């Protein structure tokens, strides 16, 4: 089970909150300033613009820009809290809906006020999270009509056009763009599809505008790797990746798989990079959804890449021929490398696919597969020729089935609703104070 680790220097604007192992009740949420209307929609939008809050679903798009784009379309917009967490290494969104559903619903209401939306949805695949959200809706009556829509858990089900398609009664599969949901979404209306952590940070900014920069520049991260327990925590931008590796229990990490399956592989030198979106992008990687899998010293990056692309190939929506064939080709090449049976032209094939396939699918799955292959070649260039004749010891021990299971991280346990944060709250494992840029 994943451990929740709370920074000792907890800010009042924390998404983790005071009792992250317990579902927060409406009364407990109101006691911390939740559901207040002190900050109006125009003022809140200005705070979000000034803070530079970026979305936490993976793409990192500026939240204020998305809100304004939906509002400028006019009509009767729709707002959607997207809690469908397709990345196998991430647990933050499911935890958030299970533990702090009122924080998400409050953020959804603020987003509706900014955009002029008349309907709201909470979109998810986790039944436990769905039950907590439905209970929260009975505890606090929102002026915004909100419906919970459940879907089947897949890698692509959280893509914004797949979200719209499922809410409209179809399958949770991506569609061609344009139009994008902000132009024509649920029922043909302009639609904001926002990640649940993004909405949580909007609610925190509304309650504590004086902390807007701190709220915007901290983030939930899921840390895993090696044989140690995965960790869900909240950290400020600027913390070195190497510090997070040590906190997770992999201090001698040889690299990492970044951003779920979106940021690709990085080597040990990259662990000196700060956890900051611009710095990571400049280094050719990405924060994505905040899931980081550290590579233990006895883990081979070739096996990790093969597992990642194997998962993506299995999760393909099978709507785009180039995605089906492209992800399968990359998967087969990486599997052959891990088995020590690849041909001498494998590196050239992987390079060509990494350059030529991105942008050709309806969603980001093909891009993730191609990016993983390209990142293996960049970060670990000597490993491909080394694996042509024989597998390394780590790859030889790799099972040839169950790749998704090897990448999956369990959601932290969250018990029933708490009325307050009084003594008796479950204990938390503290982290040392993390020095970053708040």
């Amino acid at each position: 089970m994943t451990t929740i680790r709370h920074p000792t220097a907890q800010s009042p604007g924390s998404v983790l909150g005071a009792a992250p192992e317990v579902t927060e009740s409406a009364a407990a949420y109101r006691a911390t300033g939740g559901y207040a209307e002190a900050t109006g929609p125009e003022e809140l939008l200005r705070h979000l613009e000034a803070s530079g809050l970026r979305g936490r679903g993976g793409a990192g798009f500026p939240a204020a820009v998305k809100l304004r784009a939906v509002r400028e379309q006019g009509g009767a917009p729709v707002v959607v809290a997207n809690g469908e967490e397709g990345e196998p290494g991430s647990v933050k969104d499911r935890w958030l809906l299970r533990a702090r559903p009122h924080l998400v619903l409050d953020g959804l209401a603020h987003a509706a006020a900014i955009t002029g939306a008349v309907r709201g949805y909470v979109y998810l695949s986790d039944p436990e999270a769905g039950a907590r959200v439905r209970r929260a809706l009975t505890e606090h009556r929102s002026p915004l009509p909100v419906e919970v829509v459940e879907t089947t858990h897949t890698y692509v089900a959280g893509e914004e056009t797949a979200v719209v398609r499922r809410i409209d009664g179809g399958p949770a599969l991506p569609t061609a763009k344009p139009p994008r949901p902000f132009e024509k979404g649920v029922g043909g209306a302009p639609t904001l599809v926002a990640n649940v952590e993004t909405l949580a940070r909007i609610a925190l900014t509304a309650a504590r505008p004086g902390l807007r920069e701190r709220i915007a520049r901290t983030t939930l991260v899921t840390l895993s790797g090696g044989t140690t327990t995965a960790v869900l925590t909240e950290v400020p931008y600027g913390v070195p990746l190497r510090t997070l590796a040590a906190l997770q229990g992999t201090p001698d990490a040889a690299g990492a798989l970044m951003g779920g399956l979106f940021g690709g592989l990085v080597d040990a030198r990259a662990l000196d990079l700060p956890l900051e979106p611009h710095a990571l992008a400049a280094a050719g990687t990405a924060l994505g959804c905040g899931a980081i899998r550290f590579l233990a010293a006895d883990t081979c990056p070739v096996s990790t890449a093969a597992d990642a692309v194997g998962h993506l190939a299995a999760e393909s929506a099978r709507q785009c021929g180039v995605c089906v064939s492209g992800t399968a080709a990359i998967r087969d090449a990486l599997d052959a490398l891990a088995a020590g049976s690849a041909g001498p032209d494998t590196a050239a094939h992987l390079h060509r696919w990494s350059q030529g396939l991105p942008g050709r699918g309806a969603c980001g799955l093909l891009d993730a597969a191609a990016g993983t292959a390209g990142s293996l070649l960049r970060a670990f260039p000597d490993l491909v020729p080394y694996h042509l004749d024989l597998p390394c010891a780590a790859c030889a021990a790799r099972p040839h089935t169950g790749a998704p299971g090897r990448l999956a991280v369990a959601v932290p346990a969250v018990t029933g609703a708490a009325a307050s944060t009084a003594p008796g709250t479950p204990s938390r494992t503290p982290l040392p104070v993390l020095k970053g840029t708040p």
Side-chain angles (χ1 to χ4, degrees):
M1 182 64 70
T2 301
T3 300
I4 300 173
R5 303 188 72 182
H6 217 314
T8 53
Q10 181 192 0
S11 162
S14 167
V15 170
L16 275 184
E21 303 94 342
V22 182
T23 299
E24 185 177 44
S25 68
Y29 181 61
R30 291 190 197 99
T32 62
Y35 290 129
E37 299 180 1
T39 306
E42 287 299 328
E43 182 185 0
L44 177 55
L45 184 58
R46 289 194 295 270
H47 284 304
L48 296 174
E49 287 174 326
S51 71
L53 176 66
R54 290 181 173 270
R56 296 299 197 269
F61 200 75
V65 173
K66 286 187 70 172
L67 289 161
R68 195 177 292 279
V70 172
R71 185 175 70 173
E72 290 176 350
Q73 292 294 313
V78 173
V79 288
V80 180
N82 186 4
E84 170 49 22
E85 198 163 36
E87 292 285 0
S90 181
V91 298
K92 69 181 183 69
D93 295 338
R94 284 167 289 171
W95 166 81
L96 184 52
L97 288 171
R98 292 182 186 188
R100 304 202 70 189
H102 289 286
L103 181 62
V104 176
L105 292 171
D106 195 7
L108 189 67
H110 283 294
I114 291 172
T115 59
V118 297
R119 286 181 292 152
Y121 295 89
V122 179
Y123 176 82
L124 48 81
S125 66
D126 176 29
E128 186 172 340
R132 307 291 174 99
V133 172
R134 289 185 177 94
R135 183 170 65 188
L137 287 169
T138 66
E139 292 179 339
H140 175 82
R141 186 172 297 279
S142 171
L144 177 73
V146 176
E147 180 181 345
V148 178
V149 175
E150 295 193 19
T151 188
T152 302
H153 176 72
T154 67
Y155 187 82
V156 301
E159 194 272 341
E160 62 175 3
T161 62
V163 173
V164 168
R165 194 173 179 185
R166 175 67 187 93
I167 292 174
D168 276 341
L173 297 173
T175 60
K177 300 176 283 287
R180 292 189 174 274
F182 81 90
E183 299 168 311
K184 184 179 180 182
V186 175
T191 300
L192 174 78
V193 180
N195 173 262
V196 292
E197 185 189 349
T198 310
L199 293 170
R201 295 191 181 280
I202 289 174
L204 290 171
T205 302
R208 298 173 175 84
L211 297 177
R212 65 190 187 189
E213 281 80 14
R214 180 181 294 275
I215 293 165
R217 294 187 62 79
T218 55
T219 192
L220 294 175
V221 289
T222 310
L223 310 175
S224 62
T227 58
T228 58
T229 302
V231 171
L232 172 66
T233 190
E234 188 172 14
V235 297
Y237 285 167
V239 176
L241 297 179
R242 194 176 303 279
T243 300
L244 298 180
L247 291 170
Q248 183 270 328
T250 314
D252 58 348
L257 181 64
M258 295 292 298
L261 306 182
F262 180 73
L265 291 160
V266 298
D267 63 14
R269 294 170 298 177
L271 299 183
D272 291 322
L273 289 168
L275 186 83
E276 200 282 325
H278 295 296
L280 294 175
T285 184
L287 177 60
C289 64
I292 304 174
R293 185 176 188 84
F294 293 106
L295 307 182
D298 59 352
T299 299
C300 181
V302 171
S303 290
T304 301
D307 286 347
V309 176
H311 180 80
L312 291 167
E315 290 289 309
S316 171
R318 309 193 71 79
Q319 293 188 127
C320 309
V322 67
C323 180
V324 174
S325 60
T327 53
I330 299 171
R331 175 202 62 203
D332 293 346
L334 292 173
D335 278 343
L337 271 180
S341 60
D345 54 356
T346 298
H349 288 322
L350 290 172
H351 177 74
R352 186 175 75 253
W353 293 328
S354 71
Q355 298 296 307
L357 290 178
R360 296 179 62 186
C363 67
L365 187 145
L366 180 60
D367 293 16
T372 299
S375 68
L376 175 66
L377 298 176
R378 291 191 303 272
F380 302 97
D382 297 334
L383 286 182
V384 172
Y386 178 79
H387 281 72
L388 291 180
D389 297 324
L390 291 171
C392 68
C395 287
R398 169 181 176 257
H400 292 288
T401 59
R406 289 196 293 275
L407 296 172
V409 174
V411 182
V414 178
T415 60
S420 69
T421 57
T425 295
S427 61
R428 300 178 298 278
T429 304
L431 291 175
V433 176
L434 299 178
K435 296 180 180 179
T437 304

